[in-house]
Amino acid sequence: MLNVKTADVKKFVGEAKYEIMDPYRRNAAFKKLKKFLEHLMSFLIIVGVSYVIIAPVIGMFVKSISSTKDAYDPMMFIFPRYPTMEKYKLVIERMEYWKTIGKDLAYVAVCTVIQLFVCSMVGYGFARFDFPFKKILFGCIVVMIVIPTHTIMLPLYITFRQFDPFGIFTRITGDYLNLMGTPLPMVLMTILGCGLRSGLYIYIFNQFFRGLPKEIEEAALVDGAGLWYTYFRIMLVNAMPSVITVTVFSVVWQFNDMFYANLFKISENIVISKKISTLAAVIANQDKILDIPIQQLYVAAGIILVIVPIILIYIILQRRFIEGVERSGIVG
Amino acid sequence: MKKKRKLSLTKKRAIAGLLFISPWLIGFLLFYVRSLIMTFRFSFSNLSMGVGGYDLEFTGLENIIYAFRAHGSFKQILTTSVTNMLIDVPLITFFSLFMAIILNRKFKGRGVVRAIFFLPVILGADAISEAMELAETMMNGGVAAQAAEVTATTSGTIAFDIDYLVTTFMNLGIPVKLLDYVAQAVDRINAIISASGVQIIIFIAALQSIPGSLYEVSRIEGATVYETFWKVTFPMVMPHIITNVVYTIVDNFSKSDIVELARTEMFTNFNYGLGSVFSIVSTLITCLILVIVVWLIQRRTFYYN
């Protein structure tokens, strides 16, 4: 039996009445409701948008572990009935995954280190020194960010197809040097501060160095440090937030870059994303899997394999990255 | 020169500065200035690749006239690319500002959500998106899941009838152009979300840099949330709106159809002169849009420092 006293009920009703009648408490109640609705809204939006972003990845993953039987199973929903890892096994073999990914990561790492070094140096030069035409030259950096690389792709192609700075190679060997198919053009451009989105990185570093107090350098100079030493051992160490921001951007974009990889015909043994485009054909040719939906399962496994390392790198750097962006040059 | 005469400190520092930027300066002259001049020359001539190099044959304005008067799809693709850009850029900017404001609040799992929002930047590789598209087009009716989806939409029980909504709003007297814009925005929600990863991060950083005292003051003075947004948050992130708009326009342009057209013209049809015209014209138009947009926003920008 319910043990309800009439007095309790009366008290409850009275309080409710009181709550509605009293304007102050009513306001408080409304505010609570409003806040709840606000939280609910933002929660729903975040979940919805996150779903839109993650859904293809989940779909890709499910495809990559489902077996041939599952591909034609109309009852399958999210979880495959006969999950298998054989797709991965074959794809790793056909892509020569470990070898290629190792080479690719090494290539990306080299480019990133050069980017960090060169862009921070140029950014520092712009931030701390006065020289003639400084404003115009910095305008050129902005122009470099804005001009799409596609405008200059053909001259770049010709430059590196018939590589001949100051006629050195024609004089020695009597022929141009053909750099197509090697990662050299990309490395050369990066060394000269014109690599993939270098303009943006220079801008980031410049903004950050301008925000650092001048006293640090002055102290260093008084203590007898040379300009180079000051930059390399003092300023660059202080620029850690920018360094991390640029590292993440550079690694991700360099790894994903197909434009330069295609333009310079960099071998697909170095750029792994190029292998994705040919994976279906390779599978069809070598393993006689001609059913297109089944081929797609293999391609899905290949894509997962390609994006896993980059996601791992991002997760490792992520926490410091967001902090870094907050404190680095993009803001300001 | 006399041996005793030393350089003054300012001159020394100027030389040091030039040394610091010298790698970039050489690269810029070598790769950018030279290439731009070359592209410009190509667009006025007929280029043929030979064994030992390339031959240029000056043809004057022929390429440009051909592009605008005779080429089948250039003008059409150019206009659609530009209109698409004009539609997308405000959408992406406001969407990313909106998401940044939501993500800037304190809630559990914020780190995970922020990582998720950066995913599109990682997944943006051409090869990966190409493979995804290929998977979609090739699977039409092929795989069971796809087929199930098709039946679901045609049976009309689960499917959401957008036509009904559109006609309802049209009957309410809302202009068709506006409805079209909204419908297109909804249609492109996927593209918009995946194109706004970097922008969201920039906006989050911008929001973090707004001094908290400003919000305190506005709360004490009795400003509503709405007023606080328009009077504090919005002016403070205005400089970053410029950064983001510029980034979005450049990013959008580099992925647009017109660039693709220029590339096929050059590397598939080997018509380098015409391809150069395409890329130069489209770049000029993009730069013009950039200048106009930046000028328009900058007039209303307030700089805190």
Coordinates of all heavy atoms in Angstrom, one line a residue, chain A residues 38 46 49 53-54 57 60 121 128-130 137 144 146 148 150-151 154-155 158-160 162 176 192-194 197 227 253 256 259 273 292-293 296 307 310 314 318 322 331-332, chain B residues 13-14 16-17 20 23-24 27 31-32 34-35 39 52-53 102 105 111 114 116 118 121-123 125 127-128 132 135 143 193 205 209 240 247 253-254 259 263 272 283 290:
Chain A
E38 N 19.2 24.4 -24.3 CA 20.4 24.8 -25.0 C 21.4 23.7 -25.1 O 21.9 23.4 -26.1 CB 21.0 26.0 -24.2 CG 21.2 27.3 -25.0 CD 21.7 28.3 -24.1 OE1 22.9 28.3 -23.7 OE2 20.9 29.2 -23.7
I46 N 26.2 18.5 -32.2 CA 27.5 17.9 -32.2 C 27.4 16.5 -32.6 O 28.2 16.0 -33.5 CB 28.2 18.0 -30.8 CG1 28.6 19.5 -30.5 CG2 29.4 17.1 -30.7 CD1 29.1 19.7 -29.2
V49 N 26.6 16.3 -36.5 CA 27.7 16.6 -37.4 C 28.8 15.6 -37.3 O 29.4 15.2 -38.3 CB 28.2 18.0 -37.1 CG1 29.4 18.3 -37.9 CG2 27.1 19.1 -37.3
I53 N 30.5 13.2 -40.2 CA 31.9 13.0 -40.5 C 32.4 11.6 -40.3 O 33.1 11.0 -41.2 CB 32.8 13.9 -39.5 CG1 32.5 15.4 -39.8 CG2 34.2 13.6 -39.6 CD1 33.0 16.3 -38.8
I54 N 31.9 10.9 -39.3 CA 32.4 9.6 -39.0 C 31.8 8.5 -39.9 O 32.4 7.5 -40.2 CB 32.2 9.2 -37.5 CG1 33.1 10.1 -36.7 CG2 32.7 7.8 -37.2 CD1 33.0 9.8 -35.2
V57 N 33.7 6.7 -42.5 CA 34.9 5.9 -42.0 C 34.4 4.6 -41.4 O 35.0 3.6 -41.7 CB 35.6 6.8 -40.9 CG1 36.8 6.0 -40.4 CG2 36.0 8.1 -41.4
M60 N 33.5 2.4 -44.2 CA 34.7 1.9 -44.8 C 35.2 0.7 -44.0 O 35.6 -0.3 -44.5 CB 35.7 3.0 -44.9 CG 36.8 2.9 -45.9 SD 36.1 2.9 -47.5 CE 35.8 4.6 -47.7
M121 N 62.9 30.0 -40.2 CA 64.0 30.9 -40.5 C 63.5 32.1 -41.2 O 63.7 33.3 -40.8 CB 65.0 30.2 -41.3 CG 66.4 30.7 -41.2 SD 67.6 29.6 -41.9 CE 67.6 30.1 -43.6
R128 N 61.8 40.0 -37.3 CA 62.7 40.7 -36.4 C 63.7 41.7 -37.1 O 64.4 42.4 -36.4 CB 63.5 39.7 -35.6 CG 62.8 39.2 -34.4 CD 62.6 40.3 -33.4 NE 62.1 39.8 -32.1 CZ 60.9 39.7 -31.7 NH1 59.9 40.2 -32.5 NH2 60.6 39.3 -30.6
F129 N 63.8 41.6 -38.4 CA 64.8 42.4 -39.0 C 64.2 43.4 -39.9 O 63.1 43.1 -40.5 CB 65.8 41.6 -39.8 CG 66.6 40.6 -39.0 CD1 66.2 39.3 -38.9 CD2 67.7 41.0 -38.3 CE1 66.9 38.4 -38.1 CE2 68.4 40.2 -37.5 CZ 68.0 38.8 -37.4
D130 N 64.8 44.6 -40.1 CA 64.4 45.6 -41.0 C 65.3 45.6 -42.2 O 66.5 45.7 -42.1 CB 64.3 47.0 -40.4 CG 63.0 47.2 -39.7 OD1 62.0 46.8 -40.3 OD2 63.0 47.8 -38.6
L137 N 58.1 42.5 -50.0 CA 58.5 41.0 -49.9 C 57.5 40.2 -49.1 O 57.1 39.1 -49.5 CB 59.9 40.9 -49.4 CG 61.0 41.3 -50.3 CD1 62.3 41.2 -49.6 CD2 61.0 40.4 -51.5
M144 N 51.9 34.3 -52.5 CA 52.2 32.9 -52.6 C 51.1 32.0 -52.0 O 50.8 30.9 -52.5 CB 53.5 32.6 -51.9 CG 54.4 31.6 -52.5 SD 56.0 31.6 -51.7 CE 55.9 30.3 -50.7
V146 N 48.0 32.9 -51.8 CA 46.7 33.1 -52.5 C 46.8 32.4 -53.9 O 45.8 31.8 -54.3 CB 46.4 34.6 -52.6 CG1 45.3 34.8 -53.6 CG2 46.1 35.1 -51.3
P148 N 46.9 29.9 -56.6 CA 46.8 28.5 -56.6 C 47.9 27.9 -57.4 O 48.4 28.4 -58.4 CB 45.5 28.2 -57.4 CG 44.9 29.5 -57.7 CD 45.9 30.6 -57.5
H150 N 48.1 25.6 -59.3 CA 47.8 25.1 -60.6 C 48.2 26.1 -61.7 O 48.4 25.7 -62.8 CB 46.3 24.8 -60.7 CG 45.8 24.0 -59.6 ND1 45.6 22.6 -59.7 CD2 45.4 24.3 -58.3 CE1 45.2 22.1 -58.6 NE2 45.1 23.1 -57.7
T151 N 48.2 27.3 -61.3 CA 48.6 28.3 -62.3 C 50.0 28.1 -62.8 O 50.4 28.4 -64.0 CB 48.6 29.7 -61.7 OG1 47.4 29.8 -60.9 CG2 48.5 30.8 -62.8
L154 N 52.6 23.9 -65.1 CA 53.3 23.6 -66.3 C 54.7 24.0 -66.3 O 55.6 23.3 -66.6 CB 52.5 24.1 -67.5 CG 53.1 23.7 -68.9 CD1 53.3 22.2 -69.0 CD2 52.3 24.3 -70.0
P155 N 55.0 25.3 -66.0 CA 56.4 25.8 -65.9 C 57.2 24.9 -64.9 O 58.3 24.6 -65.2 CB 56.3 27.2 -65.4 CG 55.0 27.6 -65.9 CD 54.1 26.5 -65.8
I158 N 58.1 21.7 -66.6 CA 59.1 21.9 -67.6 C 60.5 22.1 -66.8 O 61.5 21.5 -67.2 CB 58.8 23.1 -68.5 CG1 57.7 22.7 -69.4 CG2 60.0 23.4 -69.3 CD1 57.1 23.8 -70.2
T159 N 60.4 22.9 -65.8 CA 61.7 23.2 -65.0 C 62.3 21.9 -64.6 O 63.6 21.7 -64.7 CB 61.4 24.1 -63.8 OG1 60.7 25.2 -64.2 CG2 62.7 24.5 -63.1
F160 N 61.6 21.0 -64.0 CA 62.2 19.8 -63.4 C 62.3 18.7 -64.4 O 63.1 17.8 -64.2 CB 61.4 19.3 -62.2 CG 61.5 20.3 -61.0 CD1 60.5 21.0 -60.6 CD2 62.8 20.4 -60.4 CE1 60.7 21.9 -59.5 CE2 62.9 21.2 -59.3 CZ 61.9 22.0 -58.9
Q162 N 63.3 19.2 -67.5 CA 64.6 19.6 -68.1 C 65.4 20.4 -67.2 O 65.7 21.6 -67.4 CB 64.3 20.4 -69.4 CG 63.6 19.5 -70.4 CD 62.7 20.4 -71.3 OE1 62.7 21.6 -71.2 NE2 62.0 19.8 -72.2
Y176 N 69.9 17.4 -70.5 CA 69.2 17.9 -69.3 C 69.1 16.8 -68.3 O 69.2 15.6 -68.7 CB 67.8 18.3 -69.7 CG 67.8 19.5 -70.7 CD1 67.3 19.3 -71.9 CD2 68.1 20.8 -70.3 CE1 67.2 20.3 -72.8 CE2 68.1 21.8 -71.2 CZ 67.6 21.6 -72.5 OH 67.6 22.6 -73.3
L192 N 63.9 25.5 -50.7 CA 63.9 26.9 -51.1 C 62.6 27.6 -50.7 O 62.2 28.6 -51.3 CB 64.1 27.0 -52.7 CG 65.5 26.6 -53.1 CD1 65.7 26.8 -54.6 CD2 66.5 27.5 -52.4
G193 N 61.9 27.0 -49.7 CA 60.8 27.7 -49.1 C 59.6 27.9 -50.0 O 58.7 28.7 -49.8
C194 N 59.5 27.0 -51.0 CA 58.3 27.1 -51.9 C 57.6 25.7 -51.9 O 57.0 25.4 -52.9 CB 58.7 27.5 -53.3 SG 59.2 29.2 -53.3
R197 N 52.4 24.5 -49.4 CA 51.8 25.5 -48.5 C 52.8 26.1 -47.6 O 52.6 26.5 -46.4 CB 50.7 24.8 -47.6 CG 49.7 24.1 -48.5 CD 48.4 24.1 -47.8 NE 47.5 23.1 -48.5 CZ 46.2 23.0 -48.3 NH1 45.6 23.8 -47.5 NH2 45.5 22.1 -49.0
L227 N 73.7 35.9 -34.0 CA 72.3 36.0 -34.5 C 71.8 34.6 -34.8 O 70.7 34.2 -34.4 CB 72.3 36.8 -35.8 CG 72.4 38.3 -35.6 CD1 72.5 39.0 -36.9 CD2 71.2 38.8 -34.8
W253 N 49.2 17.3 -44.6 CA 49.0 17.7 -46.0 C 50.0 17.0 -46.9 O 49.7 16.7 -48.1 CB 49.1 19.2 -46.1 CG 47.8 19.9 -45.7 CD1 46.6 19.3 -45.9 CD2 47.6 21.1 -45.1 NE1 45.6 20.2 -45.5 CE2 46.2 21.3 -45.0 CE3 48.4 22.2 -44.7 CZ2 45.6 22.4 -44.4 CZ3 47.8 23.3 -44.2 CH2 46.4 23.4 -44.0
N256 N 48.9 13.6 -47.6 CA 47.7 13.5 -48.5 C 47.9 14.1 -49.9 O 47.1 13.9 -50.7 CB 46.6 14.3 -47.8 CG 45.9 13.5 -46.7 OD1 46.1 12.4 -46.6 ND2 45.1 14.2 -45.9
F259 N 48.6 16.4 -55.6 CA 48.8 17.3 -56.7 C 50.3 17.3 -57.2 O 50.6 17.0 -58.3 CB 48.5 18.7 -56.3 CG 48.8 19.7 -57.3 CD1 48.0 19.9 -58.4 CD2 49.9 20.6 -57.2 CE1 48.3 20.8 -59.4 CE2 50.2 21.5 -58.1 CZ 49.4 21.6 -59.2
S273 N 49.3 6.9 -51.2 CA 48.0 7.1 -51.6 C 47.8 6.9 -53.1 O 46.7 6.7 -53.6 CB 47.5 8.6 -51.2 OG 48.6 9.3 -50.8
I292 N 32.9 -6.2 -59.1 CA 33.3 -4.9 -58.6 C 33.0 -4.7 -57.1 O 33.8 -4.1 -56.4 CB 32.7 -3.8 -59.5 CG1 33.4 -3.9 -60.9 CG2 32.8 -2.5 -58.9 CD1 32.7 -3.2 -62.0
P293 N 31.8 -5.0 -56.7 CA 31.5 -4.9 -55.2 C 32.5 -5.5 -54.3 O 32.9 -5.0 -53.3 CB 30.1 -5.4 -55.0 CG 29.5 -5.4 -56.4 CD 30.6 -5.5 -57.4
Q296 N 35.6 -3.6 -54.2 CA 35.5 -2.4 -53.4 C 35.8 -2.7 -51.9 O 36.3 -1.9 -51.2 CB 34.1 -1.8 -53.5 CG 33.8 -1.1 -54.8 CD 34.9 -0.1 -55.2 OE1 35.4 0.6 -54.3 NE2 35.3 -0.1 -56.4
I307 N 45.0 5.4 -44.0 CA 44.7 6.5 -43.1 C 45.1 6.2 -41.6 O 45.2 7.1 -40.8 CB 43.2 7.0 -43.1 CG1 42.2 5.9 -42.7 CG2 42.9 7.6 -44.5 CD1 40.8 6.4 -42.7
I310 N 48.3 8.0 -40.3 CA 48.2 9.5 -40.1 C 47.3 9.8 -39.0 O 47.5 10.8 -38.2 CB 47.7 10.1 -41.5 CG1 48.1 11.5 -41.6 CG2 46.2 10.0 -41.7 CD1 49.5 11.7 -42.0
Y314 N 48.2 12.0 -35.7 CA 47.4 13.1 -35.2 C 47.0 13.0 -33.7 O 47.1 13.9 -33.0 CB 46.2 13.3 -36.1 CG 45.3 14.4 -35.6 CD1 45.7 15.7 -35.7 CD2 44.0 14.1 -35.1 CE1 44.9 16.7 -35.2 CE2 43.2 15.1 -34.6 CZ 43.6 16.4 -34.7 OH 42.8 17.4 -34.2
Q318 N 47.7 15.5 -31.0 CA 46.5 16.3 -30.9 C 46.4 17.3 -29.8 O 46.1 18.4 -30.0 CB 45.3 15.3 -30.9 CG 44.0 16.0 -31.2 CD 43.1 16.0 -30.0 OE1 43.3 15.3 -29.0 NE2 42.2 16.9 -30.0
I322 N 46.1 21.4 -30.5 CA 45.0 22.4 -30.3 C 45.5 23.5 -29.4 O 45.3 24.7 -29.7 CB 43.8 21.8 -29.6 CG1 43.2 20.7 -30.6 CG2 42.8 22.8 -29.3 CD1 42.1 21.2 -31.5
V331 N 46.4 32.9 -34.7 CA 45.6 33.9 -34.0 C 46.5 35.1 -33.8 O 47.6 35.1 -33.3 CB 45.2 33.4 -32.6 CG1 44.5 34.5 -31.9 CG2 44.3 32.2 -32.8
G332 N 46.0 36.2 -34.2 CA 46.8 37.4 -33.9 C 47.1 38.2 -35.2 O 47.4 39.3 -35.2
Chain B
R13 N 72.1 44.4 -39.5 CA 70.9 43.7 -39.2 C 70.1 43.5 -40.5 O 69.4 42.5 -40.7 CB 70.1 44.4 -38.1 CG 70.6 44.1 -36.7 CD 69.7 44.6 -35.7 NE 68.5 43.8 -35.5 CZ 68.4 42.7 -34.8 NH1 69.4 42.3 -34.1 NH2 67.3 42.1 -34.7
A14 N 70.2 44.5 -41.4 CA 69.4 44.4 -42.6 C 70.0 43.2 -43.5 O 69.3 42.4 -44.0 CB 69.5 45.7 -43.4
A16 N 71.7 40.7 -42.2 CA 71.3 39.4 -41.6 C 69.9 39.0 -41.9 O 69.6 37.9 -42.2 CB 71.5 39.6 -40.1
G17 N 69.0 40.0 -41.9 CA 67.6 39.7 -42.2 C 67.5 39.1 -43.6 O 66.8 38.1 -43.9
F20 N 68.5 35.7 -43.7 CA 67.5 34.8 -43.1 C 66.4 34.4 -44.1 O 66.0 33.3 -44.1 CB 66.9 35.4 -41.8 CG 67.6 35.0 -40.6 CD1 68.3 35.9 -39.9 CD2 67.5 33.7 -40.1 CE1 69.0 35.5 -38.7 CE2 68.1 33.3 -38.9 CZ 68.8 34.2 -38.2
P23 N 66.8 31.9 -48.6 CA 66.3 30.7 -49.2 C 65.0 30.9 -49.9 O 64.8 30.5 -51.1 CB 66.2 29.6 -48.1 CG 66.7 30.2 -46.9 CD 67.0 31.7 -47.1
W24 N 64.1 31.5 -49.1 CA 62.7 31.7 -49.7 C 62.8 32.6 -50.9 O 62.1 32.4 -51.9 CB 61.8 32.3 -48.6 CG 60.5 32.8 -49.2 CD1 59.5 32.1 -49.6 CD2 60.2 34.2 -49.5 NE1 58.5 32.9 -50.2 CE2 59.0 34.2 -50.1 CE3 60.9 35.4 -49.4 CZ2 58.4 35.3 -50.6 CZ3 60.3 36.5 -49.8 CH2 59.1 36.5 -50.4
G27 N 63.9 30.9 -53.9 CA 62.9 30.0 -54.4 C 61.7 30.7 -55.0 O 61.2 30.3 -56.1
F31 N 60.9 29.8 -58.7 CA 59.7 28.9 -59.0 C 58.5 29.7 -59.2 O 57.7 29.3 -60.0 CB 59.5 28.0 -57.8 CG 60.6 27.0 -57.6 CD1 61.2 26.9 -56.4 CD2 61.1 26.3 -58.6 CE1 62.2 26.0 -56.2 CE2 62.1 25.4 -58.5 CZ 62.7 25.2 -57.2
Y32 N 58.3 30.9 -58.5 CA 57.0 31.6 -58.7 C 57.1 32.6 -59.8 O 56.3 32.6 -60.7 CB 56.6 32.1 -57.3 CG 55.8 31.2 -56.6 CD1 56.4 30.1 -55.9 CD2 54.4 31.2 -56.5 CE1 55.6 29.2 -55.2 CE2 53.6 30.3 -55.8 CZ 54.3 29.3 -55.1 OH 53.5 28.4 -54.5
R34 N 59.4 33.3 -62.1 CA 59.7 32.8 -63.4 C 58.5 32.0 -64.0 O 58.2 32.1 -65.1 CB 60.9 31.9 -63.2 CG 61.5 31.4 -64.5 CD 62.9 30.8 -64.3 NE 63.2 30.0 -65.4 CZ 63.1 28.7 -65.4 NH1 62.7 28.0 -64.4 NH2 63.4 28.0 -66.5
S35 N 57.9 31.2 -63.1 CA 56.8 30.3 -63.6 C 55.6 31.2 -64.1 O 55.0 30.9 -65.1 CB 56.4 29.4 -62.6 OG 57.4 28.5 -62.2
T39 N 54.0 31.1 -67.7 CA 52.6 30.8 -68.0 C 52.0 31.9 -68.8 O 51.2 31.6 -69.7 CB 51.9 30.6 -66.6 OG1 52.6 29.8 -65.8 CG2 50.5 30.1 -66.9
G52 N 64.3 17.8 -77.2 CA 65.3 18.5 -76.5 C 64.8 19.7 -75.8 O 65.5 20.5 -75.2
G53 N 63.5 19.9 -75.8 CA 62.9 21.1 -75.1 C 61.6 21.4 -75.6 O 60.9 20.5 -76.1
I102 N 30.1 26.4 -30.5 CA 29.6 25.2 -29.8 C 30.7 24.4 -29.1 O 30.7 24.1 -28.0 CB 28.7 24.3 -30.7 CG1 27.4 25.0 -31.0 CG2 28.4 23.0 -30.0 CD1 26.5 24.2 -31.8
R105 N 32.6 25.6 -25.8 CA 32.1 25.4 -24.5 C 32.8 24.3 -23.8 O 33.4 23.4 -24.4 CB 30.6 25.1 -24.5 CG 29.8 26.2 -25.1 CD 28.4 25.6 -25.4 NE 27.5 26.7 -25.7 CZ 26.2 26.5 -25.5 NH1 25.7 25.4 -25.0 NH2 25.4 27.5 -25.8
G111 N 37.8 16.9 -26.2 CA 39.0 16.5 -27.0 C 38.7 15.6 -28.1 O 39.1 15.7 -29.2
R114 N 36.8 17.4 -30.9 CA 37.7 18.2 -31.7 C 38.5 17.4 -32.6 O 38.7 17.8 -33.8 CB 38.6 19.0 -30.8 CG 37.9 20.2 -30.2 CD 38.8 21.0 -29.4 NE 38.2 22.1 -28.7 CZ 38.8 23.0 -28.0 NH1 40.1 22.8 -27.7 NH2 38.2 24.0 -27.4
I116 N 37.5 14.6 -33.9 CA 36.6 14.1 -35.0 C 36.5 15.2 -36.0 O 36.5 15.0 -37.2 CB 35.3 13.8 -34.4 CG1 35.4 12.5 -33.6 CG2 34.2 13.6 -35.5 CD1 34.1 12.1 -32.9
F118 N 38.6 17.3 -36.9 CA 39.8 17.5 -37.8 C 39.9 16.4 -38.8 O 40.6 16.5 -39.7 CB 41.0 17.5 -36.9 CG 42.2 18.0 -37.6 CD1 42.3 19.4 -38.0 CD2 43.3 17.2 -37.9 CE1 43.4 19.8 -38.7 CE2 44.4 17.6 -38.5 CZ 44.5 19.0 -38.9
V121 N 40.0 16.9 -42.6 CA 41.3 17.4 -43.2 C 42.2 16.2 -43.5 O 42.9 16.1 -44.5 CB 42.0 18.3 -42.2 CG1 43.3 18.8 -42.8 CG2 41.1 19.5 -41.8
I122 N 42.2 15.2 -42.6 CA 43.0 14.0 -42.8 C 42.5 13.2 -44.0 O 43.2 12.7 -44.8 CB 43.0 13.1 -41.5 CG1 43.7 13.9 -40.4 CG2 43.8 11.8 -41.8 CD1 43.7 13.2 -39.1
L123 N 41.1 13.1 -44.0 CA 40.5 12.2 -45.1 C 40.4 12.9 -46.4 O 39.9 12.4 -47.3 CB 39.1 11.8 -44.6 CG 39.1 11.0 -43.4 CD1 37.7 10.6 -43.0 CD2 39.9 9.7 -43.5
A125 N 42.4 13.5 -48.7 CA 43.3 13.2 -49.8 C 42.5 12.9 -51.0 O 41.5 12.3 -51.0 CB 44.2 12.0 -49.4
A127 N 43.2 10.9 -53.4 CA 43.1 9.5 -53.8 C 41.9 8.8 -53.0 O 41.1 8.1 -53.5 CB 44.4 8.8 -53.4
I128 N 41.8 9.2 -51.7 CA 40.8 8.6 -50.8 C 39.4 9.0 -51.2 O 38.5 8.2 -51.4 CB 41.1 8.9 -49.4 CG1 42.4 8.2 -48.9 CG2 40.0 8.5 -48.5 CD1 42.9 8.7 -47.6
M132 N 36.4 6.8 -52.7 CA 35.1 6.7 -52.1 C 34.0 7.0 -53.2 O 33.0 6.4 -53.2 CB 35.0 7.8 -51.0 CG 35.6 7.4 -49.7 SD 35.2 8.6 -48.5 CE 36.1 7.9 -47.1
A135 N 33.6 4.1 -55.4 CA 32.9 3.1 -54.7 C 31.4 3.4 -54.8 O 30.6 2.5 -55.0 CB 33.3 3.0 -53.2
V143 N 25.5 -3.6 -54.4 CA 25.6 -4.2 -53.1 C 24.3 -4.2 -52.4 O 23.5 -3.2 -52.6 CB 26.7 -3.5 -52.3 CG1 26.5 -3.7 -50.8 CG2 28.1 -4.1 -52.7
I193 N 30.7 20.4 -44.4 CA 31.3 19.9 -43.2 C 32.7 19.5 -43.5 O 33.7 19.9 -42.7 CB 30.5 18.7 -42.6 CG1 29.2 19.2 -42.0 CG2 31.3 18.1 -41.5 CD1 28.3 18.2 -41.5
A205 N 40.6 28.8 -32.0 CA 41.7 29.5 -31.4 C 41.4 31.0 -31.2 O 41.7 31.6 -30.2 CB 42.9 29.4 -32.4
S209 N 41.1 33.4 -27.7 CA 42.0 34.6 -27.4 C 41.2 35.8 -27.0 O 41.8 36.9 -26.8 CB 42.8 34.9 -28.7 OG 42.0 35.4 -29.7
H240 N 39.7 37.2 -38.0 CA 39.9 35.8 -38.4 C 38.9 35.3 -39.4 O 39.1 34.4 -40.1 CB 39.8 34.9 -37.1 CG 40.7 35.3 -36.0 ND1 42.1 35.1 -36.1 CD2 40.5 36.1 -34.9 CE1 42.6 35.7 -35.1 NE2 41.7 36.3 -34.4
Y247 N 41.3 31.7 -46.9 CA 41.6 30.3 -46.9 C 40.5 29.5 -47.7 O 40.9 28.6 -48.5 CB 41.8 29.7 -45.5 CG 42.2 28.3 -45.5 CD1 43.5 27.9 -45.7 CD2 41.2 27.3 -45.4 CE1 43.8 26.5 -45.7 CE2 41.5 26.0 -45.5 CZ 42.8 25.6 -45.6 OH 43.1 24.3 -45.7
F253 N 38.8 27.1 -54.7 CA 39.2 27.3 -56.0 C 40.1 26.1 -56.5 O 39.9 25.6 -57.6 CB 39.9 28.6 -56.2 CG 40.5 28.8 -57.6 CD1 39.6 28.9 -58.7 CD2 41.8 28.9 -57.7 CE1 40.2 29.0 -59.9 CE2 42.4 29.1 -59.0 CZ 41.5 29.2 -60.1
S254 N 41.0 25.7 -55.6 CA 41.9 24.7 -56.0 C 41.2 23.3 -56.2 O 41.8 22.5 -56.9 CB 43.1 24.6 -55.0 OG 42.6 24.0 -53.8
V259 N 39.8 24.3 -62.5 CA 41.2 23.9 -62.4 C 41.4 22.5 -63.1 O 42.4 22.2 -63.8 CB 41.6 23.9 -60.9 CG1 42.9 23.2 -60.8 CG2 41.7 25.3 -60.4
R263 N 43.8 21.4 -66.2 CA 44.7 20.3 -66.1 C 44.5 19.3 -67.2 O 45.5 18.9 -67.8 CB 44.6 19.6 -64.7 CG 45.6 18.5 -64.6 CD 46.0 18.2 -63.2 NE 44.9 18.0 -62.3 CZ 45.0 17.9 -61.0 NH1 46.2 17.9 -60.5 NH2 44.0 17.7 -60.2
Y272 N 48.9 23.1 -74.4 CA 49.4 23.9 -73.2 C 49.0 25.3 -73.3 O 48.7 25.9 -72.3 CB 50.9 23.8 -73.2 CG 51.4 22.4 -73.1 CD1 51.9 21.7 -74.1 CD2 51.4 21.8 -71.8 CE1 52.4 20.4 -74.0 CE2 51.9 20.5 -71.6 CZ 52.4 19.8 -72.7 OH 52.8 18.5 -72.6
T283 N 42.5 32.2 -62.4 CA 43.3 32.8 -61.3 C 43.0 34.3 -61.1 O 42.8 34.8 -60.0 CB 44.8 32.6 -61.5 OG1 45.0 31.2 -61.7 CG2 45.5 33.0 -60.2
L290 N 38.8 37.7 -54.4 CA 39.5 37.8 -53.1 C 39.7 39.3 -52.7 O 39.4 39.6 -51.5 CB 40.9 37.2 -53.2 CG 41.0 35.7 -52.8 CD1 42.5 35.3 -53.1 CD2 40.7 35.6 -51.4

